[in-house]
Amino acid sequence: EAIEAVRERGKPLRQGGLAAALRDLRDLEELPERLGLDVELAGEVTPGFQCRCSRERVTGALRTLDPVELRDMAERDRGAVCSCDFCGESYRISAEELLSYAAGPA
């Protein structure tokens, strides 16, 4: 019942109402009124970025690679360095670690 009410309220928005309300919008505080909503803005929120990369995530991803690839990286490159494209953090994985991942679960 509540889902249907939400679906009905959202119907005008999906049919172009949101685009029309956003057109020529000068102040965000005007938006609820333009959408026919009775809301009160509680305040401003400053967005922030926090990367969720970690050594555990990197090693988890490496464990999904084929054991042949892991052994090749260990032998040829003597390990691996994985860098996060978002925050720039680098994780050094030793050849021994790569070989243990290639061997499978302990």
Side-chain angles (χ1 to χ4, degrees), residues 20 34 53 58 73 85-86 95 105:
R34 286 188 181 197
C53 75
V58 169
M73 286 173 25
D85 287 338
F86 297 105

Side-chain angles (χ1 to χ4, degrees), residues 2-58:
I3 293 173
E4 189 56 39
V6 169
R7 198 172 280 136
E8 265 313 298
R9 262 192 107 157
K11 193 173 184 179
L13 297 178
R14 290 189 304 274
Q15 294 175 337
L18 181 58
L22 291 172
R23 198 170 299 119
D24 301 322
L25 184 69
R26 284 182 237 93
D27 187 351
L28 186 59
E29 291 180 11
E30 297 174 17
L31 186 59
E33 184 181 332
R34 286 188 181 197
L35 294 174
L37 302 174
D38 184 24
V39 297
E40 182 180 322
L41 298 179
E44 291 185 24
V45 176
T46 304
F49 172 77
Q50 184 177 354
C51 189
R52 297 182 303 177
C53 75
S54 67
R55 182 167 178 57
E56 291 75 27
R57 284 179 173 240
V58 169

Side-chain angles (χ1 to χ4, degrees), residues 68-84:
V68 173
E69 291 181 64
L70 291 168
R71 283 191 288 275
D72 184 56
M73 286 173 25
E75 294 166 12
R76 188 180 350 183
D77 302 326
R78 295 183 189 83
V81 177
C82 300
S83 298
C84 177

Side-chain angles (χ1 to χ4, degrees), residues 79-102:
V81 177
C82 300
S83 298
C84 177
D85 287 338
F86 297 105
C87 71
E89 184 72 39
S90 289
Y91 300 93
R92 171 92 173 103
I93 312 300
S94 69
E96 293 77 25
E97 286 177 279
L98 293 175
L99 291 172
S100 73
Y101 303 156

